[in-house]
Each structure stands twice: as structure tokens, then as C-alpha cells.
């Protein structure tokens, strides 16, 4: 499942965008949709990896038995989407670079599985090293302000916007 989200993240990276990918699956493993952060490519701050995959899934009768897979812990916007539609399981590639709303999702009954993927982390850290200003914009930080020199630290819950 993570391989699909990683493929999307790599596509985004190759397009010059923020390398965060996502996919939506049935519990059986059937792929429903996939997406990637396209904020840079489409100049649209609402096109996060999770929202892109969610929109491409179309209407579903229920979301409770679906699994959202994303290469990075979701921001508050995307965490709200998971909670609003009661997506039952969230698989996260990594949360060291950005912690997002994982604790809040757990507290609200979402099964969160953090894979702590070195590949996910390395891809995003490469992007951040090359484009710190885009990353800081993405997580809602002013230029040059962040946790560590370029905003690459594990964000505290409740700060920054991530995508």
C-alpha cells in the first residue's frame, strides 16, 4: 500500500512539487484512488496528497472500512478530512519530519499505523534541503522560521499546517 503513495510522492517530486503522496484502499487491499500534493504544480493550496486521493475516489457510501495511506503524517486540514468522513485506518509513511494531527486522530478512534519509513523521510528531507522556502510555506511558517534551521524538525502537534 505504501508503495502506491510513494510512487505518487516521487511523481510530485519529479514535477517540482512537494513529495507527499497518498492512496485510498479498501481493507481488502483494493486500490480505490491515489493522489499527490499538487500545491506548487496547480498553485492551489488545497490540493494536498490526501485530499487529491480523496477527491479522485468519488462518492463512497461509507468510509469507515477504508484505509488512507500517506507518505507523511497529515496536517490538520487532512486530519480533519479523515475524521469528518470517519476513515477507519490511517497508514503513515513517517511522522518524524512532521507530526501533524496523529495524536488527535488516535484520541478520536482512528487506527493510526506509523511505518517510520526511511525512504519517505529521505525523499522529503531531500526536497526540504533544496526548497526550504516552499516547505516553510507548506507548513505555514514564515521564511527562515521553523523548528531547526529550515523547518525540518518534528513539528509539535497544533503548529504548522504541513501541506
Amino acid at each position: 500500500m505504501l508503495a502506491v503513495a510513494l510512487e505518487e510522492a516521487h511523481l510530485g517530486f519529479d514535477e517540482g512539487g512537494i513529495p507527499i503522496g497518498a492512496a485510498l484502499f479498501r481493507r481488502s487491499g483494493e486500490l480505490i484512488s491515489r493522489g499527490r500534493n499538487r500545491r506548487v504544480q496547480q498553485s492551489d493550496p488545497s490540493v494536498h496528497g490526501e485530499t487529491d486521493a480523496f477527491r479522485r475516489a468519488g462518492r463512497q457510501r461509507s468510509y469507515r472500512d477504508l484505509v488512507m495511506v500517506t507518505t507523511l503524517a497529515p496536517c490538520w486540514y487532512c486530519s480533519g478530512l479523515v475524521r469528518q468522513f470517519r476513515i477507519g485506518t490511517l497508514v503513515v509513511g513517517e511522522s518524524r519530519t512532521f507530526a501533524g494531527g496523529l495524536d488527535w486522530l488516535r484520541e478520536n478512534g482512528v487506527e493510526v499505523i506509523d511505518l517510520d519509513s526511511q525512504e519517505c523521510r529521505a525523499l522529503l528531507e531531500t526536497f526540504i534541503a533544496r526548497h526550504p522556502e516552499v516547505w516553510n510555506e507548506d507548513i505555514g511558517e514564515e521564511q527562515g522560521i521553523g523548528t531547526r534551521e529550515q523547518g525540518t524538525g518534528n513539528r509539535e502537534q497544533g503548529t504548522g499546517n504541513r501541506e
Side-chain angles (χ1 to χ4, degrees):
M1 291 179 171
L2 183 60
V4 175
L6 259 167
E7 185 177 315
E8 287 292 322
H10 281 286
L11 288 170
F13 184 85
D14 293 345
E15 294 167 348
I18 300 160
I20 301 169
L24 202 56
F25 292 88
R26 298 197 191 288
R27 286 197 187 274
S28 67
E30 174 190 354
L31 176 64
I32 298 171
S33 63
R34 53 195 300 154
R36 61 186 168 276
N37 184 304
R38 298 174 197 254
R39 293 184 72 239
V40 172
Q41 299 93 312
Q42 295 182 3
S43 194
D44 180 347
S46 70
V47 187
H48 299 199
E50 298 88 341
T51 60
D52 193 34
F54 182 78
R55 289 174 177 155
R56 291 170 185 274
R59 290 177 60 198
Q60 302 290 314
R61 186 165 200 170
S62 173
Y63 298 86
R64 291 180 195 272
D65 291 326
L66 299 185
V67 178
M68 175 70 79
V69 180
T70 182
T71 56
L72 182 64
C75 67
W76 286 106
Y77 171 52
C78 294
S79 293
L81 180 146
V82 169
R83 182 70 184 107
Q84 172 70 31
F85 290 94
R86 293 179 171 86
I87 295 172
T89 304
L90 175 68
V91 177
V92 174
E94 68 102 356
S95 63
R96 290 185 195 208
T97 306
F98 183 85
L102 292 185
D103 288 340
W104 178 75
L105 287 167
R106 286 182 184 108
E107 290 167 7
N108 283 281
V110 177
E111 178 185 9
V112 176
I113 302 166
D114 189 340
L115 302 176
D116 196 24
S117 165
Q118 174 58 36
E119 185 177 0
C120 290
R121 196 166 76 239
L123 179 61
L124 187 56
E125 286 177 353
T126 297
F127 177 85
I128 292 168
R130 293 180 186 173
H131 306 285
E133 71 290 348
V134 176
W135 173 249
N136 282 327
E137 172 193 329
D138 199 50
I139 61 172
E141 293 290 338
E142 298 290 326
Q143 288 292 319
I145 300 173
T147 60
R148 293 197 208 162
E149 291 125 47
Q150 298 177 337
T152 60
N154 189 349
R155 308 286 303 147
E156 291 294 319
Q157 184 177 1
T159 61
N161 294 322
R162 204 241 337 168
E163 286 184 285

